[in-house]
Amino acid sequence: MQIEKKDIRALSKEQLRDFFVANNDKAFRGNQVYEWLWSKGAHSFEDMTNVAKTTRSMLEENFVINHIKVDTMQRSSDGTVKNAVRLHDGLVVESVLIPTDTRTTACVSSQVGCSLDCNFCATARLKRMRNLEPGEIYDQIMAIDKESRLYYNHPLSNIVFMGMGEPLMNYNNVIKAIDMITSPEGLGMSPKRIMLSTSGIPKMIKKMADDDVKFKLAVSLHSAIDETRAKIMPFSKNFPLKDLREALEYWYRKTKSKISYEYVVWKGINDDKASIDALVKFCKYVPCKVNLIEYNPIDDGEFQQASEESILAYIKALESIDVVVKVRRSRGKDIDAACGQLANKEAEV
């Protein structure tokens, strides 16, 4: 019976060093291999040119490198790039490169499908098939960094976890990936350039605060009225706004990091005065800013973009209490560049 090989990237540097010592080799080989895997992004053991051929053969016998493959890449007329990313088991997720004049942002996925049931989101219809491994998340970043350098002549500058999946439902793997992204032994990116977007799971928001994470937090809010939010995001019945509010207050006390609220305004759903007043009240609890997001309809159903008048009413009300509010227009419309529903927006970290 053939034993399935383990992905070598699941090993820490210490475990790699121990592996080499156990196989009568020098511990420093573990350092070499670790650098190839993460800093240099080796796709195969043959890429490790300063490692002896016999050592590479030993690695081949014991491990695999389950790298992603960019199956198809589409470039929009506005410069947005969408990647269909094939995983080692044949499943596919999406990642998106969002360019501006001064930077490029990677929008990455954390799950195949999604654990939640937001009615407006195309990904929610796929249901969750599995969590992404840390290396699979990291690979999306590496691929977009290469595309940024190729098409825009500068490295990737920002990362948003707004793609397929709910990051806090894959917490350990997402944190491991971010640790590697920010490590000098990985990409060395500042955590302040990373934003994690969640639909709002109070206990996990508190855990992030307790874990003293340094990246930024965005919450897909969409309504500050429980009944309305439950219609938009049915799972939120289990996480009432009072619990979310408490978790966000806890986050701010621990981290002193301002929260971003992602908020789509839909016609006939949350474009009335009561919804505006409720959001204004909610924004007073914790220092925050609001991103009003243009909606990309996924069908001809009940979720349709609200009028400009409604958007302007939100802006006026929020600015009256000194909340910074920005309108995020859809990007990559001609290639349907949505990983999840929010990924194609001009995300700001």
Side-chain angles (χ1 to χ4, degrees), residues 43-294:
H43 281 228
S44 73
F45 297 114
E46 286 303 308
D47 291 340
M48 302 178 183
T49 51
N50 65 344
V51 176
K53 191 168 184 178
T54 52
T55 303
R56 282 181 268 157
S57 298
M58 179 179 67
L59 292 172
E60 194 82 51
E61 290 170 9
N62 287 276
F63 302 105
V64 292
I65 305 174
N66 285 331
H67 258 285
I68 66 163
K69 177 186 177 186
V70 177
D71 226 15
T72 58
M73 185 194 73
Q74 295 174 277
R75 289 190 71 191
S76 167
S77 57
D78 67 15
T80 301
V81 178
K82 181 178 79 168
N83 293 325
V85 174
R86 187 167 299 277
L87 310 175
H88 70 93
D89 55 5
L91 295 173
V92 176
V93 296
E94 290 183 358
S95 61
V96 178
L97 183 158
I98 307 165
T100 69
D101 292 339
T102 57
R103 64 185 179 180
T104 50
T105 298
C107 176
V108 297
S109 296
S110 56
Q111 295 179 311
V112 185
C114 188
S115 306
L116 305 181
D117 55 3
C118 301
N119 286 326
F120 63 90
C121 180
T123 303
R125 300 183 178 189
L126 302 176
K127 302 304 178 185
R128 188 188 73 86
M129 286 173 264
R130 72 171 175 85
N131 290 333
L132 293 187
E133 296 296 323
E136 294 172 324
I137 297 169
Y138 185 87
D139 283 351
Q140 293 175 71
I141 305 299
M142 291 288 281
I144 290 179
D145 181 56
K146 288 180 182 177
E147 291 167 354
S148 178
R149 293 170 190 271
L150 176 63
Y151 296 123
Y152 299 103
N153 298 314
H154 57 79
L156 178 68
S157 54
N158 299 81
I159 300 169
V160 291
F161 282 82
M162 291 185 182
M164 296 172 72
E166 166 53 64
L168 296 189
M169 300 295 281
N170 186 19
Y171 184 77
N172 290 337
N173 287 350
V174 167
I175 293 299
K176 286 178 183 175
I178 291 174
D179 285 346
M180 207 63 238
I181 291 163
T182 56
S183 168
E185 297 177 309
L187 292 179
M189 183 173 283
S190 167
K192 298 298 183 185
R193 293 183 173 272
I194 299 173
M195 178 173 282
L196 183 147
S197 179
T198 174
S199 294
I201 303 170
K203 70 174 183 179
M204 299 307 296
I205 291 172
K206 288 181 177 179
K207 177 168 175 54
M208 283 196 296
D210 288 337
D211 288 346
D212 195 28
V213 301
K214 302 301 183 186
F215 51 80
K216 297 181 180 180
L217 174 64
V219 176
S220 293
L221 190 60
H222 309 310
S223 179
I225 300 171
D226 273 314
E227 295 76 14
T228 304
R229 195 164 190 259
K231 291 176 184 176
I232 299 167
M233 311 159 80
F235 79 92
S236 68
K237 294 174 185 175
N238 299 318
F239 307 113
L241 286 163
K242 65 178 179 63
D243 293 348
L244 178 58
R245 168 191 169 181
E246 181 192 341
L248 295 174
E249 289 173 333
Y250 184 83
W251 161 273
Y252 187 76
R253 283 199 306 272
K254 297 275 285 193
T255 68
K256 295 295 183 283
S257 178
K258 184 182 289 190
I259 293 154
S260 293
Y261 293 128
E262 308 292 334
Y263 200 101
V264 182
V265 186
W266 290 283
K267 183 178 180 181
I269 294 176
N270 61 350
D271 60 347
D272 58 320
K273 186 175 185 302
S275 294
I276 295 172
D277 291 344
L279 178 59
V280 167
K281 182 179 178 181
F282 199 82
C283 286
K284 291 178 180 178
Y285 297 136
V286 181
C288 64
K289 61 182 179 180
V290 174
N291 292 322
L292 297 176
I293 299 171
E294 182 182 19

Side-chain angles (χ1 to χ4, degrees), residues 2-17:
Q2 187 174 5
I3 299 174
E4 186 176 351
K5 297 177 186 177
K6 185 174 185 177
D7 188 341
I8 192 170
R9 291 187 298 175
L11 274 60
S12 66
K13 184 193 285 188
E14 290 69 30
Q15 289 171 321
L16 272 174
R17 290 169 60 88

